[in-house]
Amino acid sequence: MFSKIRIQFLQFFNKTQNSSRLINLILISSSLCIIYLLTSIFLVGTSKIISRESSQQAVHEPTSLEHIVFGIASNNKSWSNRKEYVKLWWKPNQMRGCVFLESMPPDLNSSASSSSSLPPVCVSGDTSRFRYTCRGGLRSAIRVARVVSETVALNHSDVRWFVFGDDDTVFFPENLVKTLSKYDHGLWYYIGSNSEIFEQNRFFGFDMAFGGAGFAISYPLAKVLAKIFDSCIARYPHLYGSDSRVFSCLTELGVGLTHEPGFHQVDVRGDVFGLLASHPLTPLVSLHHLDFIDPIFPDMTTMKALDHLFKATSIDSQRILQQTVCYDPWFSWTISVSWGYAVQVHSNRLLLPDALPVQATFRPWQKRGSPFAGAYTFNTKQLHPDPCTRPTVFFFDNVSSDGDEIRSNYKKAYQNCTQDMGSPKKLEEIKVFSTKLDLGIKQLQAPRRQCCDVLPSSAGKVMEIEIRECKEDELIHMHE
């Protein structure tokens, strides 16, 4: 624009020597320049204001439970029992979604079946037009897979994430929100985890989110997936499960899995103490297969044990199961605290890398067959055959909070040991002091284990421990 003005000015100057016209032309050119500059400044300023307002809006509107819609896969046969799992975590005033069954239960209107503490029931669509050719599998896998598209079709407003799981998937809602808050819900995300068993992953895929553990799909990706889902799954009649179909269609869209280790498929059987006591440095998001494992606390039923865990979760959700290791300087003990679950006291010094692996207290999912049946996807260590040589275990008993301070108590579990191996066996109770854990985005993206100190105890049978943030250059080790 400025070059054209300059050419016109020169042409005019050559044709006339009239000073008044020259002055007028200079004034006009100057005015155009000023208008252009002011307009540019205004537009830049406006864009900055809009950008600032958008940024502020994102800051003041963090992801919450109200932004999540759940799709829970069940069936008419299992729902009457499995709904007790859902009652543990479902928050009817904050959560949206459906549990999908083949048909509406005949007793839905009874007080026992229709509970305000449960999600509404939705009836799955007809799947008879789809082929299913997997020998030994269940045709219901097609219906369960379509829970994804049918949940999207509910057309809820202001949705950021769709989360899917089974009727025996127990979610930890606050931790689910905290985990998803790391990610931009406006982008295409498929978030979950695979199996704990190498053989399961080898067969179904290391990059597939296992449905029992639960998985999350961001809103824009879910909307596109729902559009193409039926045409896509028609190409996969040979697959075994529902999660394999979801994974295959997302793969066709070019989307890969974002691994989050807080989702737990729990493809093991028996005593999962070792698995829970060595949880990864990430919030606990889900547990699955609870019908196939022992109650997670001794002398309790499965449901009472889970309810007991939720007592600690209600006080400090983000700290639940987080493992902290410290050392007793007086007796050279190694203490591992899995907050809200258990404390283990080793009567000897353990280097931190030796204290963190998962104790193999459980059995493989497959009882026989593949040579990989006992191979896991994490580091394990075998239990010592002599129970007297194992660490003394103290299970979570109760928790209380007073302002910023939280105190959790742990009582010694029965141990089949007739020998007195020293002071750890004489302890009866451990008190743990901490403050509520509130992880920011940076801490979630780059987690660091916290430190703890053994405090002078008031009695010989009680140990007191304080959990705190580690100093910048602090090492977790036994001081000489």
Side-chain angles (χ1 to χ4, degrees):
M1 176 169 56
F2 292 110
S3 61
K4 290 182 179 180
I5 293 173
R6 184 170 58 85
I7 292 171
Q8 292 175 356
F9 173 80
L10 292 173
Q11 289 175 345
F12 184 81
F13 181 80
N14 292 331
K15 290 181 179 181
T16 179
Q17 299 295 321
N18 191 310
S19 59
S20 60
R21 290 184 179 182
L22 177 59
I23 293 171
N24 289 337
L25 186 56
I26 292 173
L27 291 174
I28 292 171
S29 301
S30 301
S31 299
L32 289 173
C33 292
I34 293 171
I35 291 171
Y36 179 83
L37 291 173
L38 290 175
T39 302
S40 301
I41 292 171
F42 175 79
L43 291 174
V44 171
T46 302
S47 65
K48 287 183 177 180
I49 291 171
I50 293 173
S51 176
R52 192 182 302 115
E53 288 177 348
S54 300
S55 177
Q56 289 175 347
Q57 185 178 16
V59 169
H60 293 302
E61 293 185 7
T63 296
S64 66
L65 283 174
E66 287 80 0
H67 295 120
I68 300 174
V69 173
F70 291 85
I72 304 168
S74 185
N75 59 71
N76 292 66
K77 183 178 180 180
S78 69
W79 179 238
S80 59
N81 293 324
R82 297 276 180 83
K83 66 185 179 184
E84 298 303 318
Y85 288 130
V86 179
K87 283 182 182 179
L88 285 169
W89 60 269
W90 184 260
K91 299 179 184 295
N93 296 325
Q94 297 176 266
M95 293 180 172
R96 298 177 293 174
C98 263
V99 54
F100 286 83
L101 306 177
E102 305 97 322
S103 61
M104 198 64 69
D107 62 341
L108 183 64
N109 294 325
S110 68
S111 58
S113 180
S114 60
S115 171
S116 60
S117 60
L118 288 171
V121 171
C122 291
V123 177
S124 299
D126 179 33
T127 61
S128 59
R129 67 187 185 279
F130 296 98
R131 292 188 306 132
Y132 187 82
T133 60
C134 180
R135 182 178 298 179
L138 297 174
R139 181 178 176 80
S140 59
I142 299 173
R143 180 185 71 83
V144 173
R146 294 188 78 250
V147 166
V148 172
S149 57
E150 291 176 346
T151 300
V152 176
L154 295 175
N155 284 327
H156 286 290
S157 60
D158 195 22
V159 181
R160 297 184 181 180
W161 297 94
F162 291 96
V163 173
F164 304 96
D166 291 347
D167 52 9
D168 62 338
T169 305
V170 171
F171 286 105
F172 294 79
E174 290 79 9
N175 292 350
L176 172 65
V177 170
K178 182 63 70 170
T179 298
L180 295 180
S181 68
K182 290 196 300 184
Y183 303 99
D184 184 348
H185 57 271
L187 302 179
W188 284 17
Y189 274 111
Y190 166 48
I191 300 173
S193 69
N194 48 27
S195 174
E196 295 84 1
I197 305 298
F198 174 84
E199 178 68 4
Q200 292 283 90
N201 295 319
R202 189 178 73 89
F203 185 81
F204 293 107
F206 284 89
D207 294 321
M208 182 189 81
F210 278 60
F215 57 91
I217 301 178
S218 60
Y219 175 82
L221 175 57
K223 293 292 285 187
V224 174
L225 177 64
K227 290 179 182 179
I228 56 90
F229 198 66
D230 284 353
S231 64
C232 176
I233 62 174
R235 287 187 286 278
Y236 298 97
H238 60 284
L239 295 180
Y240 172 80
S242 59
D243 42 15
S244 296
R245 287 168 168 78
V246 176
F247 166 69
S248 297
C249 293
L250 287 168
T251 300
E252 288 194 2
L253 284 172
V255 178
L257 175 65
T258 298
H259 289 263
E260 273 293 344
F263 292 84
H264 294 281
Q265 176 72 7
V266 193
D267 276 345
V268 296
R269 299 176 186 269
D271 184 5
V272 296
F273 171 82
L275 196 65
L276 300 183
S278 297
H279 194 270
L281 279 177
T282 187
L284 170 66
V285 175
S286 69
L287 293 172
H288 181 232
H289 277 152
L290 297 162
D291 287 342
F292 298 92
I293 61 174
D294 299 339
I296 61 175
F297 287 104
D299 303 322
M300 293 186 186
T301 64
T302 295
M303 291 305 303
K304 286 185 177 180
L306 289 169
D307 187 63
H308 191 54
L309 185 68
F310 269 91
K311 290 178 182 177
T313 305
S314 66
I315 299 295
D316 195 349
S317 178
Q318 294 175 54
R319 195 182 290 279
I320 196 73
L321 297 191
Q322 291 301 291
Q323 187 181 15
T324 307
V325 177
C326 52
Y327 298 89
D328 188 320
W330 295 281
F331 299 103
S332 296
W333 298 339
T334 304
I335 300 101
S336 174
V337 180
S338 301
W339 193 90
Y341 180 57
V343 178
Q344 301 176 75
V345 181
H346 301 261
S347 60
N348 59 332
R349 298 183 180 187
L350 285 178
L351 295 171
L352 185 61
D354 298 326
L356 298 180
V358 175
Q359 296 178 69
T361 59
F362 37 80
R363 304 188 305 275
W365 183 255
Q366 300 291 344
K367 297 180 180 179
R368 64 184 70 178
S370 169
F372 302 109
Y376 303 105
T377 57
F378 43 77
N379 294 327
T380 61
K381 58 183 177 182
Q382 296 300 314
L383 284 175
H384 198 284
D386 181 5
C388 295
T389 308
R390 299 172 189 171
T392 306
V393 178
F394 301 76
F395 281 103
F396 168 71
D397 183 59
N398 59 73
V399 62
S400 60
S401 61
D402 183 11
D404 294 334
E405 185 178 80
I406 298 173
R407 186 179 78 172
S408 53
N409 294 338
Y410 304 76
K411 296 292 184 66
K412 185 168 67 174
Y414 169 75
Q415 190 169 9
N416 185 21
C417 177
T418 58
Q419 303 176 29
D420 182 4
M421 295 300 292
S423 298
K425 300 291 185 289
K426 296 179 180 179
L427 288 170
E428 296 293 336
E429 180 181 3
I430 294 180
K431 299 179 181 180
V432 177
F433 300 92
S434 59
T435 57
K436 189 169 184 178
L437 187 62
D438 187 11
L439 299 172
I441 297 298
K442 291 183 179 180
Q443 293 168 304
L444 289 166
Q445 294 174 339
R448 185 189 181 190
R449 194 178 308 279
Q450 293 205 329
C451 291
C452 61
D453 300 309
V454 178
L455 306 176
S457 300
S458 56
K461 294 185 178 181
V462 178
M463 174 184 283
E464 295 181 344
I465 295 173
E466 180 184 29
I467 299 177
R468 58 175 174 78
E469 288 188 8
C470 296
K471 300 174 184 177
E472 183 176 358
D473 58 350
E474 184 172 4
L475 301 175
I476 303 175
H477 70 106
M478 173 66 76
H479 295 278
E480 300 296 336

